[in-house]
Amino acid sequence: MRNALNNLADTVKDPKEKERFETEMDNFFALFRRYLNDKAKGNAIEWSRIAPPKPEQVVDYSDLSNSNSVEFLNKLAVVKLNGGL
């Protein structure tokens, strides 16, 4: 998954956007590692304490300009549904 995200990051030409993307990617992987680590320890997640994203933080896949990004993000949605992230 990290290789696919790195490949996706390589398509971003604007340095500011690339930096933002890489920061978001690092944050995602830190959260994912934390989730896996807690799950391995048998810790339960209190889902009621996790707030959903604000409407302005959510972007429809159809609004993304790069069709490769859309296809890849659909794969991330599987992680979201099955992995609880």
Side-chain angles (χ1 to χ4, degrees), residues 46-75:
E46 293 181 45
W47 290 106
S48 61
R49 295 184 58 199
I50 299 173
K54 297 175 184 173
E56 64 268 14
Q57 294 174 310
V58 178
V59 177
D60 260 354
Y61 294 143
S62 61
D63 292 340
L64 297 173
S65 61
N66 183 337
S67 63
N68 290 334
S69 297
V70 173
E71 183 178 329
F72 179 73
L73 291 173
N74 281 331
K75 292 177 184 175

Side-chain angles (χ1 to χ4, degrees), residues 16-80:
K16 278 189 166 185
E17 283 296 311
K18 186 168 186 143
E19 182 179 341
R20 187 178 71 82
F21 182 87
E22 289 172 346
T23 299
E24 291 294 326
M25 186 174 69
D26 289 342
N27 291 340
F28 168 78
F29 278 106
L31 179 63
F32 190 63
R33 280 190 305 272
R34 180 178 164 196
Y35 168 77
L36 292 177
N37 191 28
D38 283 350
K39 187 171 179 126
K41 290 179 182 177
N43 297 339
I45 295 175
E46 293 181 45
W47 290 106
S48 61
R49 295 184 58 199
I50 299 173
K54 297 175 184 173
E56 64 268 14
Q57 294 174 310
V58 178
V59 177
D60 260 354
Y61 294 143
S62 61
D63 292 340
L64 297 173
S65 61
N66 183 337
S67 63
N68 290 334
S69 297
V70 173
E71 183 178 329
F72 179 73
L73 291 173
N74 281 331
K75 292 177 184 175
L76 282 181
V78 172
V79 172
K80 179 180 176 185

